[in-house]
Amino acid sequence: MATFGSFALIAALALAAYNLLAGTFALRLIATGGQARISPERLADTARRAGIASFVAVTCAAFALIWSVFTNDFSIAYVLEHSNRALPAAYKFSAMWSGQEGSLLLWAWLLAGYGFVLRLTHKNDVKLYAYAGTILAGIQVFFLSLLNFAAPPFSLLPGYVPGITPLPDDGNGLNPLLQYPEMVIHPPMLYLGYVGFSVPFAFALGALMMRYPGEKWIRITRVWTMVTWTFLTCGIFLGMHWAYAVLGWGGYWGWDPVENASFMPWLAATAFLHSVMMQEKRGMMKSWNVWLIFITFMLTIVGTLLTRAGLVSSVHAFAQSSIGTWFYIFLGQILLVCLFTFILQKDHLKSDHQIESLVSRESSFLFNNLVLLLACFVILLGTFFPILSEYVQDHKVTIGAPYYNAVAIPIGLFLLFLTGVGPLLPWRSASLKAIRRNFVIPVIALWGMVIVALVAGVRPWKDGEFQTGTFYALIAFALAAAVLTAIVSEFLRGAGVIAKQTGKNLFASLVLLTRRNTRRYGGYLIHIGLVIAIIGFAGTAFNRNVEQEMGLHSKMHIGPYDLECLGFSQDSNSNYNSEFALLDVTSNGKPVKVLTTSGFTNLQMTPEKRVYLASQQPQTMVAIHSVPEWDLYVVYEGINQDTGQPIIKAILNPLVGWIWFGWIVIVIGSIVALVPSITPSTAALKIPASATVQAAAGQSALKGGD
């Protein structure tokens, strides 16, 4: 199977190289009107077919690696290093992306898959898709070259001779951190986002090269960006939940360099998805949008570099290797191509209009973009500061969470403010009367929340000292109330108009309103999801924790809960040994009830510590009880060797569940935004004569656009 996989990768590289060279030559002939023995159109089509065939070849290579893992082929060094016989079947898939070579193969396979879809849909715009497909082929050549020459996944064990050299009885096993259900889907989701930004990049660069007329390319690019942004969002939130449930420290985001590497392209892509509306609606920010796409793609390459070059220390990073040099060269080439093409074609990117007023939707989008890019720069600086400091001072100076929190939290709160302001401002300029009418209710909601929070005990001062975290939480709650009020008002205003026109109930009117403009109202749902998640983030300011030894029938008190140790024990299977405690949970003296398959039962929590046999590495399995107000988070820290008693740590994390619920709303909103709006013919409404006046007053809620 190793021979088959290696041959498939060589074939994939040859096909991608032909796609690149033949596609480039064909497009050059078409652009200059040159002649060749074969027509340029025919040559371009053979290049497209080679690109499709390269996907088949990479798929064969991916299948060969997975097959080798499932059949325990320990003659392949990668399989020996990242799998073992007792590894559960689901985690054998995870072995593909657990190491350097396998994760690069996943990158190449997903990239070929995106290219496959693009090349099959080429008839949407043959020339633009030919440019995009050729650029994608260039990216494929880079990653397939890595797999063939720098990080081959099918390398045999050193000195291994088939039939002569004995093979190890078992492998070293999968990293315990990856042996968790979410890790079967988190890395592929993250990679679907990372890799997917290659497609918007290819369209943007191709459209600029061919001086594409009109704005059709930006609409195509927006859809691809929205899809990949959604995948990356899912990847980030799944990674947060994994860190929360597995690492045992009670948090979900530690500003780890690799976490930052996924967050930076997300910020840049979010900026593009907002500013693209200005180009579609007003013909503005054309150069800005092109560079946002270029920057987003380059940040994905930077993120991939961070995990592979050993530049930073991270629980997510692969071992240090010389492969980083390849990425430096590739990143430099991308930057040079983007700069050269932009300078050559910049006269094609002149804006049709200028911002007419600082109080307008255009201005809110511009401020939104600037703040998002500022956040991206701050995170980039913090991530690379240890590298820069080592270069200047010969020793690394690491920047921790306090730096990021000090700058990122105010930036995030300002973005939350802009999220509420944007929908309330009209295009071009806003009158004082319109501002007063649109903002009065959100402002009331803001101050109402401040009063409620203060009464509930959320106060920025304690024992005469100012509490920065509580202050930020208070601002977050107040802004969240204002933003949610503003967005809900937009929904209700439009639904009210439809209800008067059709006689439908409010819910049916909301559905019809959303279907008539899925992009706009799907975007509002995404904003609602982000606001809900931010409410969850604000709960961090009120965390509490207790740690103590717990013998038999010992008790621990935290918040409204009492935990009693009913015992501790050990267990083992073919994959790992484990130690765990059994804890009974009561609240205010009464048993806590939870719903199970057998009905409501008393809550018992079993935090666990595992040691995996193949790797002899430990792993924490956290016990979590979630309710809307908070999470009860319990960690088994191990045995005190002096007393023989387990050490238990309990953390009360307020509002964490809101983060995961917010993520679900974001995904729903993204799906809604990607669904085409119903056409005017299918959305036709029978408007009674008596409703004409009311309909005219609410027309802005029904118009297309954002």
Side-chain angles (χ1 to χ4, degrees), residues 18 25 61 112 119 196 241 256 270 273 276 333 371 375 429-430 437-438 458 488 511 609 663 703:
Y18 177 82
F25 184 55
R119 292 171 181 117
H241 193 269
D256 180 274
T270 302
L273 288 170
V276 71
Q333 290 174 335
V371 175
S429 64
R437 181 181 67 247
N438 292 340
V458 181
V488 171
V511 172
K609 180 78 75 175
W663 164 50
K703 288 181 179 178

Side-chain angles (χ1 to χ4, degrees), residues 445-460:
L446 185 148
W447 286 108
M449 178 54 69
V450 169
I451 294 170
V452 169
L454 290 174
V455 171
V458 181
R459 297 173 183 172

Side-chain angles (χ1 to χ4, degrees), residues 265-542:
W266 186 90
L267 290 169
T270 302
F272 171 77
L273 288 170
H274 285 82
S275 66
V276 71
M277 289 183 277
M278 294 179 66
Q279 183 167 343
E280 291 182 287
K281 187 81 173 181
R282 303 270 291 145
M284 301 168 63
M285 300 181 71
K286 295 181 180 181
S287 296
W288 182 273
N289 285 331
V290 164
W291 274 104
L292 279 178
I293 285 294
F294 291 169
I295 290 170
T296 300
F297 175 67
M298 285 188 280
L299 285 172
T300 65
I301 302 301
V302 168
T304 310
L305 167 67
L306 278 173
T307 61
R308 296 165 203 289
L311 295 177
V312 294
S313 176
S314 167
V315 69
H316 309 273
F318 299 106
Q320 185 170 356
S321 71
S322 60
I323 203 172
T325 304
W326 289 67
F327 281 94
Y328 285 125
I329 295 171
F330 183 53
L331 196 58
Q333 290 174 335
I334 294 169
L335 182 59
L336 287 175
V337 169
C338 291
L339 280 172
F340 176 78
T341 306
F342 176 76
I343 293 170
L344 192 66
Q345 309 286 18
K346 64 179 180 180
D347 61 311
H348 180 63
L349 297 174
K350 292 180 179 178
S351 294
D352 298 335
H353 300 91
Q354 301 296 325
I355 293 178
E356 300 177 18
S357 171
L358 287 177
V359 186
S360 64
R361 190 168 296 192
E362 293 94 322
S363 292
S364 73
F365 283 145
L366 178 60
F367 287 133
N368 174 283
N369 270 222
L370 292 173
V371 175
L372 284 167
L373 290 182
L374 175 62
C376 192
F377 173 76
V378 165
I379 295 170
L380 183 67
L381 178 63
T383 304
F384 279 92
F385 191 82
I387 303 167
L388 297 174
S389 64
E390 184 179 32
Y391 179 78
V392 175
Q393 303 177 2
D394 291 330
H395 69 275
K396 286 187 178 182
V397 178
T398 303
I399 289 181
Y403 159 79
Y404 293 105
N405 291 334
V407 293
I409 291 177
I411 290 173
L413 291 174
F414 186 59
L415 279 171
L416 180 60
F417 168 75
L418 291 176
T419 300
V421 168
L424 301 179
L425 294 175
W427 293 99
R428 303 184 68 172
S429 64
S431 66
L432 185 60
K433 182 179 179 181
I435 293 174
R436 190 164 51 242
R437 181 181 67 247
N438 292 340
F439 281 83
V440 63
I441 297 178
V443 169
I444 291 172
L446 185 148
W447 286 108
M449 178 54 69
V450 169
I451 294 170
V452 169
L454 290 174
V455 171
V458 181
R459 297 173 183 172
W461 56 90
K462 183 178 181 181
D463 299 328
E465 293 185 4
F466 183 74
Q467 306 292 318
T468 305
T470 306
F471 174 68
Y472 282 145
L474 179 61
I475 295 176
F477 293 147
L479 288 175
V483 173
L484 287 175
T485 301
I487 297 174
V488 171
S489 296
E490 285 291 296
F491 273 101
L492 294 179
R493 187 179 298 118
V497 173
I498 289 182
K500 290 179 181 179
Q501 293 173 342
T502 63
K504 295 178 180 289
N505 61 42
L506 182 61
F507 178 76
S509 298
L510 283 170
V511 172
L512 182 56
L513 175 73
T514 304
R515 292 181 64 202
R516 284 174 63 100
N517 196 335
T518 54
R519 179 177 171 186
R520 180 180 188 178
Y521 292 100
Y524 285 167
L525 285 174
I526 294 172
H527 287 174
I528 290 174
L530 285 171
V531 172
I532 294 172
I534 288 172
I535 293 172
F537 296 145
T540 305
F542 312 102

Side-chain angles (χ1 to χ4, degrees), residues 131-148:
Y131 268 92
T134 302
I135 293 167
L136 274 186
I139 303 172
Q140 283 182 268
V141 166
F142 168 72
F143 281 96
L144 289 169
S145 296
L146 279 177
L147 288 167
N148 278 284

Side-chain angles (χ1 to χ4, degrees), residues 6-196:
S6 298
F7 176 78
L9 286 176
I10 293 172
L13 175 59
L15 290 164
Y18 177 82
N19 186 180
L20 173 62
L21 296 174
T24 302
F25 184 55
L27 291 171
R28 179 65 179 170
L29 289 176
I30 293 172
T32 60
Q35 299 294 322
R37 290 185 178 181
I38 183 173
S39 70
E41 292 77 11
R42 179 74 180 276
L43 185 61
D45 193 55
T46 63
R48 182 183 69 84
R49 293 174 185 272
I52 292 174
S54 70
F55 167 68
V56 176
V58 179
T59 300
C60 289
F63 170 78
L65 185 61
I66 293 174
W67 180 268
S68 299
V69 172
F70 269 88
T71 56
N72 301 308
D73 185 356
F74 298 128
S75 67
I76 299 175
Y78 185 85
V79 177
L80 177 68
E81 184 66 28
H82 299 286
S83 184
N84 64 296
R85 296 183 185 277
L87 188 66
Y91 298 137
K92 285 184 179 288
F93 284 103
S94 301
M96 181 177 180
W97 47 80
S98 65
Q100 180 94 277
E101 298 85 355
S103 64
L104 286 172
L105 179 55
L106 178 65
W107 226 108
W109 181 58
L110 293 176
L111 179 61
Y114 276 117
F116 177 74
V117 174
L118 183 148
R119 292 171 181 117
L120 285 183
T121 56
H122 72 291
K123 290 184 179 179
N124 291 339
D125 191 315
V126 175
K127 189 175 179 182
L128 176 60
Y129 275 67
Y131 268 92
T134 302
I135 293 167
L136 274 186
I139 303 172
Q140 283 182 268
V141 166
F142 168 72
F143 281 96
L144 289 169
S145 296
L146 279 177
L147 288 167
N148 278 284
F149 305 115
F154 297 101
S155 295
L156 299 179
L157 294 177
Y160 173 72
V161 179
I164 299 177
T165 309
L167 291 175
D169 293 331
D170 205 357
N172 297 334
L174 184 68
N175 186 333
L177 293 175
L178 299 179
Q179 297 193 42
Y180 188 75
E182 278 172 314
M183 294 308 287
V184 179
I185 55 176
H186 158 59
M189 281 289 182
L190 204 62
Y191 274 78
L192 280 166
Y194 256 33
V195 179

